[in-house]
Every structure is written in C-alpha cells, then in structure tokens.
Amino acid sequence: MTSSEDRPVRVRFAPSPTGKLHVGGARTAIFNWAFARANHGTFILRIDDTDPTRSTEENTQIILRAMRWLGLDWDEGPEVGGDFGPYKQTDRMDLYRKAAMDLIHEGKAYYCFCSPEKLAEDKRQAQLRHDPFQGYQRTCRNIPPAEAQARVDAGEPYTIRIKVPLDRGDVVVHDAVHGDVTFNAKELDDFIIFRSDGTPTYNFATVVDDSMMGITHVIRGDDHLSNTPRQIMVYEALGAPVPTFAHISMILGPDGKKLSKRHGATSVEEYRDAGYLSDAFVNYLALLGWSPDGETTIVPRDVLAREFSLEHVSKNPATFDQKKLDSINQTYIMAMSDHEFSEKILVPELRSAGLEPEGTTLHDSSWYDLLSSILKPRTTVMPDVIGKSRFLYEGDEVALDEKSVQKNIAKPDTRSYLTAAREALAALPADGFKADAIDAALEPVPEQLGTNKRKFYGALRVAACGNMVSPPLGPSLELLGQACTLARIDRALPLAQ
C-alpha cells in the first residue's frame, strides 16, 4: 500500500456549513493551507454539507467569504473546480452509494435490519450481563447475502454496517502531533456507514472523499481523534492508503475552558468587522499551537507559507489571548507607511462612518498622511480612527465635552490662557500654520503667563479639539487649519474665567 509520504502533498479543509467559520476552524484551515504551501502541495476546500437539517447555502457563502478575507486561496474546490470534484458532499451522494454497494458485494459491509428498539434492548441485555462489549451485537452480520437482498427488495428498512474484522489487532493511529495512539479494535462494533434514510455517515463519507481526492495528510482538531480508528477501518475496507493524521489541540479561553461565545467574539467575520487586519489575524491564529522557534511572534504570510511544519505543532491546548492579538494587529498597523495606512484604513473607515463622502475626499493626500502619522501609533483596530478623527469634521462648532470644559476651561485665569494662545496662533502666516511652527509659537506662552503647561495646554486642547484625549496638539491644529482653530477658541472664550 502506498504511503502518504510517497505522494505529492494534498490536504483539505472540510467545514460543515451549519454556521459561521469560527476561530478553531479558521486555525485548522490556516494549518492546512500553510502545510500545502510549505510542501508545494495542493490545498483543497470541500464543503461537508451532508447534515440537511443544519447545512445552508447561506452558511456556505459565509464560509467562502471568510476564507477569502483570510487570504487562504484554495487550489481545488467551490468556485475554482478541479479534477476531483464535486467539492460539496451533497453533490457526491452517488459516489457514496456506489462505494457502499461495492463493500457489500465484496463482503466487507452488510445490510442491518435491526430496529432502534431491538438495538436498545440488545444494549440493555449486554449491560445486564456486564458484557465488556456493549456495542452492536452483529445480529445481521451473517445473514446470507441473497436473503438480505430479498428483504431490501421487499422494502424492509435497513442500514448498512461495515464488517470490522474479528481478528483485527489494535488500531494504531500514526499521528504527526501526538505520536502513535493505540485503540483496541475489540471495542469497535460494526458501525453504520449508511443510515436508514439513505444518507452516509460522517465517518464513511469523509473517508470516501479523502481517498478519492488523494488526501495525503488529514490536519484537523483533536476532537476528531476518537473518530480515527473507525475511519481507518473504512480506508482498509476500501483498499485505500491511510493518510498521515495530525490532530491539533483545541483552543481555550482565558478561563481554561473551550473557547466559546461566552469569551466574546468567536467567528472570523466578527473579528473582520471589529477592524482586525487579515494578515495579523492569520499570524495570530497560526501561533495558537505552532511556532517556528518558540519565540517569534510576527510571522508574515509568506514566512508561514515557507516555514510551517507539523513538527512544530504542539500537542498542548492553546489559549486565546486577546491582548496578544491586539499587540500583533498593532504591529502590522505600525509597519504600514502613512500613505498605506491612509488608503487602507483611515479613509475607508471615515467613509464608513459618514465623515468622508464616498468616491472622493475632502482634503489632499498630505492632509490624510499627516493625520495617519499621528493616528497610526494610537490605533489597535481600524475603527479606532473614527473617534480620534471626529473632532476634525465638526467645523467651527466642535462638540465640547462638558466634563473637560469644567475641568480645563471654566477655571480662573483660563481666559488669559486662551487669549494669549489665540494671539500667538493668529500671528503665524496662513501658509505657515504647520505643526512645528505652532508648537514653537505656543512653547513660551505658559512661562510668559506665569502658569504651568498642563493648565495652559489643557484649556487650549479642549477649546480647539473638544476634549482632553485628542491626538498631539500641534498636528491637530495644523489639520484643523488656522481659521477653524481661531474660530473654536473664540467660541470657547465666553466659557472661560
């Protein structure tokens, strides 16, 4: 039998469209994509939609959108095609039926006519006997094929079960993450591969697909490890090569429990909408259970695609750390040029908030580049720029934060602070109203007034920017422009003492 190591690498990500693509599934997709790219292999996207009650086309489209946003381009699958399609399980039903019929004809599977009541009673009796084996009692295993076919033809309800060889030794899963994991074959019953409603079970359909698609490595969550011995039985019955398995650890929340909605956002699109960069998000998820050296935290996409290996995947659970994700996102933002930040983050966000018109801009590129230079170090996620920029779009009538006014303007001597600041700023030439010149003009004023800088700049900042948490004052005033700055000071003067 051909080893998976001797064949060109082919891996698949096979989500079920029963909901959105969540963090755990995205991490699995990233590992498969990176393994394929690092080994010059093929990355396949397959939609496992055999659960008709929960699978929807809408969810399929959500998954495809999330994969595209993550930048995980697939070589075969929906919208791409390929030589091993179809790539949706609901379009492959004839292939599953044929595979099941072939196993019956080869004596490797059989029809089972046991009712649910019969199965429940058999299990109860096994428990009463303290039978060490309490699975299916193989009641129909030895029905002569002709008799079984006659009962099927007569319309009797049935399932199809696989024949687990009675002399099968231990099932050893050669796992690239966990090492060899041994299961006692005697604990495996003749499990169902086709249900009475005519649909294949997961453990059958996925093996038929993986074998027909030539999958060499199955990289998936370790919650599937318990399925693996049954799947190996199917591979052996089909006479197909058993792939290399790599079961990756689950992702935990900060409380040590499996990551879920109680920990906050869990779907890929929630993180996209919250303003994370896809490159940063992929970087962070890749580090949940894998690291090139145990220390590096910034792994650009091209490095991940070059250096990823199963040898560096940890068998220990990974903990989702929001602060680390924020830090990595901020690092990617800081790596942008001011112009790139302006084009990819600042202007799109301002448009989404209605501050900038669609299809055009209110200022020249140097204005946005200057704003980018002061916002970039203060941006963790993309929408952060909206709150920090809003004061620039309020004209002469900036909204004044009442607490900031009471603390910084409605105080003794603040009228003199604002008057002196106005005189210093008005003295600058209109075409020289730049951050450096503004800072230089204001620098000596507090000492001339005999006050401290905190009080002086606090009053001016609130008057011009509306609150105490605006970006650096010099660039902020340059962005406002001289006329607007002076008008805002004039408006605040009556509030001062």
Side-chain angles (χ1 to χ4, degrees), residues 18 102 142 185 223 251 255 260 270 321 365 403 426 435 460:
T18 56
D102 288 346
N142 295 316
D223 54 329
I251 301 173
D255 58 359
S260 67
E270 284 179 286
D321 184 341
S365 61
K403 287 185 178 180
L460 177 56

Side-chain angles (χ1 to χ4, degrees), residues 172-231:
V172 181
V173 179
H174 303 295
D175 194 280
V177 176
H178 295 271
D180 286 354
V181 183
T182 302
F183 294 86
N184 186 348
K186 291 184 173 61
E187 297 177 359
L188 294 177
D189 62 3
D190 289 356
F191 53 93
I192 293 173
I193 59 174
F194 248 84
R195 304 181 188 92
S196 57
D197 64 0
T199 60
T201 60
Y202 167 78
N203 284 327
F204 184 65
T206 195
V207 173
V208 171
D209 288 342
D210 287 349
S211 61
M212 294 185 76
M213 292 180 180
I215 301 301
T216 60
H217 297 74
V218 174
I219 305 169
R220 60 189 181 185
D222 61 9
D223 54 329
H224 287 286
L225 183 56
S226 60
N227 290 327
T228 309
R230 287 180 172 80
Q231 293 178 9

